């Protein structure tokens, strides 16, 4: 199984169409929307994780591009510096995808990078600057 996070930018005329649903219907791909901002008459933005057969993944991406959707891959990744983290839990309150969550009863703050939508809210919130961004190499991006 192949899994990848994609960033989609929809032009205004495509923003209201259920194009992402077609990925499942046409190409048997599963999608998990990590972040979405779509407003009427304006460009839409979506970050989603797509899972499925690699050949179908490529077909699905080509389908989106054919619909004038701009498809890109995140070039940066969020990281958590365990040495700086004080387990205060502040980041878990703002994380929209539960990528940052508290493990109970240990009360340990865990980071699941697969769920991260790169919204950067944790970076703004963390009092010890334990959360940060780093750039991937071109090989890591693809
Ligand atoms: S960037 Fe931080 S707050 Fe946003 S989804 Fe990722 S871990 Fe959560
Ligand atoms: S806000 Fe920062 S210090 Fe607090 S739990 Fe999250 S990463 Fe750790």
């Amino acid at each position: 199984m192949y899994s990848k996070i994609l960033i989609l930018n929809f032009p205004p005329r495509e923003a209201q169409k259920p194009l992402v649903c077609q990925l499942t219907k046409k190409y048997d791909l599963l999608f998990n929307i990590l972040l979405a901002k779509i407003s009427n008459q304006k460009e839409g933005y979506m970050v989603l994780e797509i899972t499925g057969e690699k050949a179908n993944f490529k077909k699905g991406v080509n389908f989106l591009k054919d619909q004038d959707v701009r498809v890109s891959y995140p070039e940066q990744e969020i990281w958590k510096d365990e040495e700086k983290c004080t387990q205060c839990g502040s980041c878990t309150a703002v994380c929209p995808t539960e990528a940052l969550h508290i493990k109970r009863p240990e009360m340990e703050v865990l980071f699941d990078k697969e769920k991260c939508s790169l919204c950067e809210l944790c970076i703004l919130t963390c009092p010890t600057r334990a959360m940060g961004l780093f750039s991937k190499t071109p090989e890591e991006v693809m």
Side-chain angles (χ1 to χ4, degrees):
M1 233 10 130
Y2 187 73
S3 185
K4 208 87 185 147
I5 291 180
L6 293 180
I7 301 167
L8 308 181
N9 283 278
F10 299 86
R13 68 183 177 283
E14 305 295 345
Q16 299 302 314
K17 293 185 187 170
L19 293 177
V20 171
C21 298
Q22 299 294 325
L23 296 176
T24 304
K25 216 169 163 185
K26 286 176 179 271
Y27 307 106
D28 200 22
L29 295 167
L30 298 175
F31 63 88
N32 179 23
I33 297 175
L34 303 172
L35 188 70
K37 285 182 188 165
I38 308 257
S39 50
N40 209 3
Q41 308 300 323
K42 289 190 182 153
E43 195 183 67
Y45 170 88
M46 193 179 275
V47 179
L48 70 172
E49 183 181 17
I50 297 183
T51 306
E53 296 298 327
K54 193 167 185 177
N56 287 347
F57 175 86
K58 286 184 178 171
K59 285 179 195 167
V61 168
N62 287 337
F63 162 75
L64 293 171
K65 287 179 177 172
D66 287 345
Q67 312 301 314
D68 291 334
V69 177
R70 202 165 72 241
V71 181
S72 56
Y73 301 86
E75 292 173 2
Q76 293 182 310
E77 209 166 62
I78 296 285
W79 54 268
K80 180 169 179 276
D81 186 333
E82 297 299 343
E83 287 187 5
K84 286 186 184 171
C85 177
T86 57
Q87 315 295 333
C88 72
S90 300
C91 55
T92 64
V94 298
C95 181
T97 64
E98 297 184 1
L100 286 157
H101 57 278
I102 298 176
K103 182 182 173 192
R104 298 175 197 272
E106 296 88 344
M107 301 306 285
E108 186 187 349
V109 175
L110 301 181
F111 174 47
D112 180 351
K113 105 175 162 180
E114 301 301 322
K115 288 188 179 172
C116 176
S117 66
L118 305 169
C119 71
E120 301 183 24
L121 289 175
C122 55
I123 296 176
L124 299 173
T125 306
C126 179
T128 64
R129 297 178 182 256
M131 301 305 296
L133 265 182
F134 78 90
S135 296
K136 293 181 183 177
T137 65
E139 293 75 26
E140 285 171 329
V141 171
M142 293 308 292

